[in-house]
Amino acid sequence: MIQNIYRFYSKLIPFSVLLFVLHQGLQLIDFWPVSRDYFYCIHGFNFLSSALMYVVLAYAFQNLKDKAGFIYLALSILKMLIVMILMAVVILGEEESTLAFALQFMVVYGLYLSFEVVSMVKKLNS
């Protein structure tokens, strides 16, 4: 189980760093800029949620192999609900640059989701 987690993290960390650097580059040229706090919130939430979700999935793959796909689906829905709550709090709570935050958050979330889906499909097929 620990080796599976390390293997996933060895792919997640370079992906996250690359995405962070590309997003930071767009921020430096003022392409729909967001505040530094929002920027770190976007990447911190997505990285931590992916990292923590895989720990639960590694346990599921080891002990509940036949239910791992359903557990992934349930965790993805839970993560989506948390994202919706976070987006509602930010958008309703503040007027400044909420459109830029929402769009950037959803793009980064979509890229992380794509990465997770590809990783899970490979794991489920093995």
Side-chain angles (χ1 to χ4, degrees):
M1 182 169 95
I2 299 297
Q3 286 181 332
N4 288 336
I5 294 172
Y6 285 146
R7 198 172 308 127
F8 178 75
Y9 285 174
S10 69
K11 295 173 188 169
L12 177 66
I13 291 171
F15 172 78
S16 299
V17 169
L18 177 65
L19 191 58
F20 182 87
V21 168
L22 289 173
H23 193 191
Q24 183 69 33
L26 290 174
Q27 291 297 306
L28 290 175
I29 61 171
D30 285 335
F31 184 73
W32 283 31
V34 294
S35 71
R36 179 171 286 194
D37 292 338
Y38 281 165
F39 180 80
Y40 289 120
C41 174
I42 290 169
H43 288 280
F45 174 83
N46 284 298
F47 177 77
L48 289 176
S49 64
S50 292
L52 294 175
M53 191 164 84
Y54 196 78
V55 171
V56 174
L57 288 171
Y59 175 80
F61 280 120
Q62 184 172 0
N63 298 320
L64 305 167
K65 180 76 172 161
D66 58 333
K67 305 279 190 246
F70 293 113
I71 292 171
Y72 172 70
L73 182 63
L75 289 173
S76 293
I77 291 171
L78 177 65
K79 182 178 168 182
M80 195 178 309
L81 290 172
I82 293 170
V83 166
M84 290 169 63
I85 292 169
L86 175 68
M87 296 295 280
V89 167
V90 170
I91 290 172
L92 295 175
E94 195 171 315
E95 297 285 327
E96 186 179 319
S97 72
T98 56
L99 179 62
F101 171 78
L103 290 174
Q104 290 180 34
F105 190 95
M106 293 313 293
V107 168
V108 172
Y109 175 77
L111 292 170
Y112 270 93
L113 184 63
S114 300
F115 175 79
E116 291 171 4
V117 167
V118 168
S119 298
M120 290 307 115
V121 167
K122 286 181 182 178
K123 183 68 177 165
L124 286 170
N125 288 334
S126 65

